[in-house]
Amino acid sequence: MKHLKNIKGVTQMNVVDLSYKLKRVLWSNDALSLLPGCGWNDGGCRSLMRAFRIWLGPDNVRTYQIVKKPEQLHSEHVFIRIGDRFLDGDGVSGSYQMEYRWRFEERLPVVIIREFDPETEPDHVNGEKPFYIGDSHINQLVKLLDHHFNKEEILECLL
């Protein structure tokens, strides 16, 4: 397992430790106060994806979505991918863990994981736009992530 060195005062961290710390930061009062009554996996996923892209750089991450049908264009969940790992509100996971979580914990009957462009995601069937928190809150989330983690070392660990 790869190790991560010197993340803001931590001498050594593996991917499991990184996942735990990421969840701890994202589910802290500081981070959750940026969301209007939802969590990172039930309404805030797009905002988190956008913050990850800004913080880690769009050239370093790929955006992914979960849909229930191949023809579905609107996401059930979105997240980023670095190397073979996915990052979302539940930390760091592989494709098997992501699929398992959304099939059995989130109870989706079918889970299709695929790359997508968030800029072309259509509105909901009812005309509602995909939800994002305001840019100022996304920028606060970027600052929070940057305060707790060293992004270059995270990229090195996950690539």
Side-chain angles (χ1 to χ4, degrees):
M1 197 169 260
K2 293 182 180 181
H3 286 78
L4 203 53
K5 298 176 184 160
N6 301 322
I7 291 184
K8 303 283 180 166
V10 176
T11 56
Q12 194 171 46
M13 183 180 290
N14 63 33
V15 173
V16 173
D17 293 336
L18 170 61
S19 182
Y20 174 77
K21 184 173 182 184
L22 185 59
K23 284 194 293 190
R24 194 176 64 216
V25 170
L26 291 175
W27 293 96
S28 70
N29 288 335
D30 287 343
L32 288 176
S33 70
L34 302 172
L35 293 172
C38 62
W40 299 116
N41 296 328
D42 60 349
C45 63
R46 286 174 185 82
S47 301
L48 180 58
M49 175 210 52
R50 186 173 282 170
F52 279 145
R53 286 186 77 209
I54 292 168
W55 178 52
L56 296 167
D59 293 338
N60 295 314
V61 303
R62 293 170 29 207
T63 51
Y64 275 73
Q65 70 181 168
I66 290 177
V67 294
K68 296 185 282 189
K69 300 175 187 172
E71 65 275 8
Q72 183 178 348
L73 300 175
H74 185 74
S75 307
E76 300 291 330
H77 182 59
V78 301
F79 43 95
I80 65 161
R81 181 177 180 169
I82 300 174
D84 292 334
R85 307 284 183 167
F86 297 125
L87 276 73
D88 70 356
D90 278 331
V92 181
S93 59
S95 60
Y96 175 78
Q97 291 90 357
M98 182 68 76
E99 181 180 353
Y100 182 90
R101 182 164 34 101
W102 283 89
R103 285 214 52 213
F104 298 104
E105 292 177 26
E106 301 296 334
R107 304 221 185 269
L108 291 184
V110 176
V111 174
I112 300 169
I113 298 174
R114 65 184 182 202
E115 195 166 1
F116 89 118
D117 179 359
E119 302 303 319
T120 63
E121 183 178 22
D123 296 346
H124 292 272
V125 189
N126 65 5
E128 184 181 330
K129 297 209 174 292
F131 174 74
Y132 289 93
I133 58 177
D135 289 344
S136 66
H137 282 117
I138 288 175
N139 289 331
Q140 287 178 346
L141 181 56
V142 170
K143 288 178 185 174
L144 185 67
L145 291 166
D146 200 50
H147 174 75
H148 288 280
F149 300 95
N150 181 311
K151 64 184 171 185
E152 288 80 18
E153 291 175 345
I154 287 176
L155 291 169
E156 182 180 316
C157 173
L158 297 175
L159 288 174

